[in-house]
Amino acid sequence: MFQSLFSPSVQHAIDLIGIFVFAISGALLAVRKNFDVFGIAVLAEVTALGGGLFRDLIIGAVPPAAFTDLGYFLTPLLAALLVFFLHPEVERLESWVNVFDAAGLGLFCVAGTTKAYEYGLGLTASATLGLATAVGGGVLRDVLANEVPSLLRWDRDLYAVPAMVGATMVAVCIRCDMLNPVTSALAVITAFVLRLLAMRYHWRAPRAWNRRSTVVEVREGAQP
């Protein structure tokens, strides 16, 4: 399956890189919200580990990896510390952070789907948990920061859709008995590229057909 793409040590390193980048995004939001150092650390941990923790609890992989591997717990704290002291510099590198975040999205949606299937879930449920693994931490981050989750907002570039495509590709490959290192890598790359294209061209999901709303939309930074 997906784990056969790399040796265990390389796979572990990739996981930590993805966790680190997700944690950076959570810590940056905490700084923008004027949270204290504890709030920065909490948002970093939740963003980095929330999706995988949710998946492991659902499939019964307990205790979750976040509690059995010290590296998984300490890596978000390292990201939080970096942002705490160097957040202006990190903000200037946010475009690169977004690229690595897109890579983490692709890796986690594929790894999450595969792990869920290996624990006995059906294809649809496995793909759903693959999606949850990739985006769950971001949803928890936004909820704790008192924001509408980014993947639910029409004015944000597509985020959940690339992860959904990657997870669905894995499920289809499993159904056709075609899941191998090559097809797993293809699913990762597809989700990654779709996310990059969405950021580059500002692709967004359509809103309701013939929408008639009396809600006043307030853009970020604008006065209500």
Side-chain angles (χ1 to χ4, degrees):
M1 289 287 188
F2 178 73
Q3 287 75 8
S4 64
L5 278 169
F6 308 107
S7 66
S9 59
V10 173
Q11 178 63 44
H12 187 255
I14 291 173
D15 286 345
L16 292 182
I17 291 171
I19 287 171
F20 182 81
V21 175
F22 283 174
I24 288 285
S25 70
L28 284 174
L29 179 59
V31 170
R32 294 177 191 134
K33 288 287 187 175
N34 204 29
F35 288 6
D36 62 15
V37 63
F38 181 75
I40 294 172
V42 168
L43 232 58
E45 291 280 357
V46 166
T47 308
L49 303 176
L53 185 62
F54 173 78
R55 176 204 61 213
D56 287 350
L57 290 176
I58 292 295
I59 65 179
V62 292
F67 292 96
T68 59
D69 189 319
L70 190 60
Y72 284 14
F73 180 77
L74 293 181
T75 298
L77 294 182
L78 177 61
L81 192 64
L82 179 68
V83 171
F84 181 79
F85 287 107
L86 300 174
H87 62 87
E89 288 76 11
V90 176
E91 289 273 12
R92 285 195 288 270
L93 295 173
E94 190 168 9
S95 60
W96 283 104
V97 172
N98 288 335
V99 170
F100 284 107
D101 181 88
L105 184 79
L107 286 166
F108 284 6
C109 73
V110 172
T113 303
T114 302
K115 185 172 182 177
Y117 183 77
E118 289 175 344
Y119 272 77
L121 269 66
L123 294 177
T124 300
S126 296
T128 301
L129 279 184
L131 172 64
T133 303
V135 306
V139 172
L140 292 174
R141 172 201 65 204
D142 292 342
V143 169
L144 289 177
N146 197 30
E147 288 198 347
V148 176
S150 296
L151 81 166
L152 300 181
R153 294 180 56 170
W154 72 271
D155 58 341
R156 297 296 176 88
D157 302 332
L158 292 178
Y159 193 79
V161 171
M164 192 182 305
V165 171
T168 301
M169 288 179 65
V170 174
V172 170
C173 287
I174 293 173
R175 178 66 180 82
C176 298
D177 197 24
M178 294 175 56
L179 188 65
N180 54 53
V182 174
T183 55
S184 296
L186 182 61
V188 171
I189 293 170
T190 299
F192 172 62
V193 171
L194 282 177
R195 173 57 181 161
L196 290 184
L197 290 173
M199 291 190 293
R200 173 65 178 83
Y201 296 106
H202 303 296
W203 291 347
R204 291 165 185 172
R207 288 183 285 176
W209 185 257
N210 289 330
R211 174 177 169 273
R212 298 288 186 271
S213 175
T214 58
V215 176
V216 178
E217 295 169 355
V218 180
R219 295 185 178 275
E220 279 191 38
Q223 294 296 323

